[in-house]
């Protein structure tokens, strides 16, 4: 049985993958943010000209679903690597941001 996935484990795998290829010198915050932006743009490209209704059904087509899934994975990979390099706990950051948004935008 495989161990359940968690953010720290995925970050370690990404770091090990980069280290095995000697990519650490290139994984600066600037480069990771640029790569994150590129991957997010590739995700946007899939949805760019779809109607709202078409975008809601994007996972119904196997080929498109595969592309979306791959781009989501790329975005998450670069975001997790950026967090690792900068020492940010992504889950704690999100939790704190939700707290701030709840105070900023109280429910009616």
């Amino acid at each position: 049985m495989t161990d359940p996935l968690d953010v720290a484990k995925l970050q370690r795998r990404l770091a090990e993958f980069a280290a095995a290829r000697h990519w650490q010198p290139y994984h600066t915050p600037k480069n990771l943010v640029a790569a994150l932006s590129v991957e997010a743009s590739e995700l946007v490209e899939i949805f760019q000209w779809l109607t709202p209704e078409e975008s809601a059904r994007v996972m119904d087509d196997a080929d498109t679903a595969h592309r979306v899934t791959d781009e989501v994975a790329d975005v998450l990979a670069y975001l997790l690597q950026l967090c690792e390099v900068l020492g940010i706990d992504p889950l704690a950051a999100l939790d704190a941001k939700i707290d701030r948004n709840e105070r900023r935008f109280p429910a009616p």
Side-chain angles (χ1 to χ4, degrees):
M1 180 170 138
T2 60
D3 293 331
L5 294 176
D6 61 49
V7 171
K9 184 180 294 186
L10 291 171
Q11 285 176 303
R12 280 192 305 276
R13 284 191 65 197
L14 289 165
E16 290 167 2
F17 183 88
R21 289 151 182 82
H22 309 287
W23 289 351
Q24 303 97 318
Y26 308 104
H27 285 193
T28 64
K30 178 192 79 68
N31 289 350
L32 291 169
V33 167
L36 175 60
S37 175
V38 169
E39 295 302 338
S41 294
E42 290 178 5
L43 183 59
V44 169
E45 183 181 25
I46 297 167
F47 291 87
Q48 184 174 8
W49 301 114
L50 299 179
T51 65
E53 296 77 19
E54 290 168 335
S55 71
R57 295 188 310 271
V58 74
M59 300 305 281
D60 293 346
D61 175 75
D63 289 336
T64 306
H66 179 72
R67 288 178 54 217
V68 169
T69 301
D70 275 357
E71 296 307 334
V72 166
D74 289 342
V75 168
L76 183 56
Y78 281 117
L79 182 59
L80 291 178
Q81 289 173 90
L82 177 66
C83 287
E84 180 72 18
V85 166
L86 295 178
I88 296 170
D89 177 337
L91 297 182
L94 177 56
D95 189 51
K97 180 68 177 189
I98 292 169
D99 287 345
R100 286 191 305 278
N101 283 342
E102 286 176 336
R103 288 188 301 277
R104 187 172 169 203
F105 306 104

